Amino acid sequence: MYYFDHAASTPPHEEVIRTMAEVMAKHYANPSSLHRGGHEAGNLLERARSVIASVFRGTEPKEWIFTSGGTESNNIAITGAARASSKRGKHIITTAVEHPSVYDTCLALEREGFKVTILPVNSDGIVSIEVLEQALTDETILVSVMHVNNETGAVQPIREIGELLKQHRSTIFHVDGVQSVGKLPIDLQSCGIDLFSASAHKVNGPRGVGLLYVRAGVILEPLYHGGSQERGQRPGTENVAGIVAAAKAFRMALESQPERAERMYALRERLLACISEIPELIVNGVIDHSAGVAAPNIVNFSYPGMKPEVIVHMLEKHRVLASTKSACSSKSDDPSRVLLAMGASRERAASGIRISFGDEHGAAELEWLCRMLHMVVQKLKPLERKE
């Protein structure tokens, strides 16, 4: 199979699998226990935290919380920050193209009485700094903007947003970095990021492990209760084996990021050239990545008039695994909220296909993908819906 759904989940590295298996076999004690086994497990946990802090340069181990994944990290960050800061103000700003774990969390807070401003994006899916600046008020306590969009690969101006928010010291800046870690460079300190979410299974690590960076001094109201683990933010016995394996995966991903980006940008250009040869297909989002507003590993296109699941299943028959929108929303028949926010018609937004690359892909895999796209479109043309 040719697996082109890395934005949904990635195959774990062999080294990661071995590490997880070894820790599971040898260090099964509860890291909170007082005996020797617990002490050894606790040491592994803190060593993993130190590894994370070292690869995200400028951060401290105590600033990292282990969670079950990006969705939980986003929920803890946004809800925890909003509730903890509610006495200073109740205004939250986010964008129309956020992942559901951010977008829906903000809507839930709106039902609690918070005021939520959802910023529009341009046709490339990118938010305007000027529009954000106009939306800021003295009551704004939180701004949450993703780094890389999970459907289109659009890159938001995180550094510029961070610079703007440095003039609003009381406003907390949260970044969903789930799709950017290991693909694009990210400096949490220079970008002025207070809260940062990441997920291990997006970087060839295990499922069920996420990261949340909480800058020293930022206060979160806990969502959960029942234990003091992870600074009281995520109580419960830690998944030591998964966390140690995740730390290895994050280290490998960040250390190899420049080479990975260079190789994937070349694959992206080849795929875009292929799509341009098929008149029925329309690219959604940025085509030219030279301005730094497109991630290297995601390409999104539409076949207006055709149901995306038909394309996905036909590609699968020819050993190509692709996806439609976010894996969290892919089973819904609704048009993509992200593509609609970018100004796409409902027909176009309802027919989006996402291709996302991984470490195993090279020229041969891309050529097969291109051949299959040409073939599938030719077979589907007689079935087009004319609405």
Side-chain angles (χ1 to χ4, degrees):
M1 282 290 185
Y2 296 84
Y3 182 73
F4 286 99
D5 196 17
H6 282 251
S9 193
T10 57
H13 288 305
E14 289 294 332
E15 303 96 309
V16 171
I17 295 173
R18 285 197 298 270
T19 295
M20 188 165 181
E22 290 172 4
V23 176
M24 286 181 70
K26 297 179 182 178
H27 300 280
Y28 42 80
N30 190 315
S32 297
S33 295
L34 296 178
H35 51 65
R36 179 178 176 181
H39 182 68
E40 291 175 349
N43 283 342
L44 283 176
L45 189 68
E46 295 314 311
R47 192 180 306 166
R49 210 182 307 273
S50 294
V51 169
I52 296 298
S54 68
V55 293
F56 287 93
R57 295 176 181 173
T59 68
E60 298 292 333
K62 64 182 180 181
E63 295 177 308
W64 290 98
I65 293 171
F66 293 115
T67 71
S68 67
T71 290
E72 186 176 47
S73 293
N74 285 338
N75 273 263
I76 292 173
I78 294 168
T79 304
R83 290 177 179 170
S85 303
S86 61
K87 291 182 179 179
R88 293 190 287 104
K90 303 198 79 171
H91 183 220
I92 299 168
I93 298 176
T94 190
T95 82
V97 294
E98 298 300 310
H99 186 272
S101 62
V102 170
Y103 191 86
D104 292 348
T105 299
C106 289
L107 294 184
L109 286 168
E110 191 171 46
R111 292 191 290 272
E112 287 186 20
F114 289 86
K115 178 183 178 182
V116 177
T117 297
I118 299 176
L119 301 179
V121 294
N122 63 18
S123 59
D124 289 331
I126 298 170
V127 70
S128 162
I129 295 293
E130 290 73 21
V131 171
L132 170 58
E133 186 172 17
Q134 292 169 7
L136 288 166
T137 74
D138 293 339
E139 298 290 312
T140 306
I141 54 172
L142 175 68
V143 172
S144 181
V145 178
M146 68 193 338
H147 191 187
V148 169
N149 186 267
N150 52 296
E151 291 189 33
T152 68
V155 180
Q156 300 296 350
I158 297 302
R159 184 175 297 277
E160 291 82 356
I161 293 173
E163 285 297 321
L164 171 63
L165 294 181
K166 288 177 182 178
Q167 304 168 30
H168 300 262
R169 296 292 184 182
S170 61
T171 301
I172 296 171
F173 184 26
H174 168 250
V175 172
D176 174 358
V178 167
Q179 293 292 348
S180 66
V181 175
K183 283 78 175 182
L184 294 176
I186 181 70
D187 187 328
L188 304 184
Q189 303 301 306
S190 65
C191 290
I193 295 171
D194 300 303
L195 301 167
F196 183 83
S197 306
S199 181
H201 78 105
K202 308 293 188 181
V203 293
N204 305 100
R207 293 179 183 86
V209 183
L211 299 178
L212 176 60
Y213 167 74
V214 183
R215 183 182 58 77
V218 173
I219 305 298
L220 303 180
E221 181 175 310
L223 272 65
Y224 311 120
H225 306 280
S228 60
Q229 294 94 338
E230 300 305 306
R231 293 169 51 185
Q233 294 295 335
R234 214 272 179 171
T237 303
E238 298 93 341
N239 174 11
V240 177
I243 288 169
V244 172
K248 172 166 283 200
F250 279 111
R251 177 181 59 77
M252 295 172 67
L254 270 73
E255 289 178 351
S256 61
Q257 181 272 317
E259 296 81 5
R260 179 181 296 103
E262 182 179 2
R263 180 174 54 78
M264 287 185 176
Y265 273 128
L267 298 177
R268 185 179 187 274
E269 288 185 0
R270 174 66 190 102
L271 178 55
L272 289 172
C274 166
I275 292 171
S276 71
E277 299 168 355
I278 307 174
E280 292 78 11
L281 303 184
I282 305 172
V283 174
N284 296 311
V286 179
I287 294 179
D288 182 6
H289 69 263
S290 61
V293 291
N297 61 313
I298 298 176
V299 173
N300 188 297
F301 61 88
S302 290
Y303 186 167
M306 188 60 59
K307 290 185 176 181
E309 58 266 28
V310 173
I311 301 171
V312 168
H313 291 317
M314 282 198 69
L315 287 171
E316 185 174 5
K317 288 181 179 179
H318 298 282
R319 299 187 294 148
V320 172
L321 301 182
S323 63
T324 54
K325 43 193 171 181
S326 164
C328 298
S329 308
S330 61
K331 294 183 180 179
S332 167
D333 292 332
D334 295 335
S336 163
R337 169 172 51 81
V338 170
L339 298 184
L340 287 174
M342 293 164 58
S345 66
R346 288 187 66 84
E347 185 182 48
R348 180 171 169 181
S351 62
I353 299 291
R354 180 181 68 184
I355 301 292
S356 46
F357 310 128
D359 288 343
E360 75 271 26
H361 296 141
E365 288 76 18
L366 255 292
E367 290 312 309
W368 179 263
L369 171 61
C370 291
R371 284 173 55 195
M372 293 308 103
L373 281 176
H374 276 276
M375 183 188 67
V376 165
V377 170
Q378 287 303 310
K379 288 185 176 182
L380 291 177
K381 282 179 67 175
L383 305 177
E384 289 181 21
R385 299 195 314 270
K386 301 301 182 182
E387 297 178 355

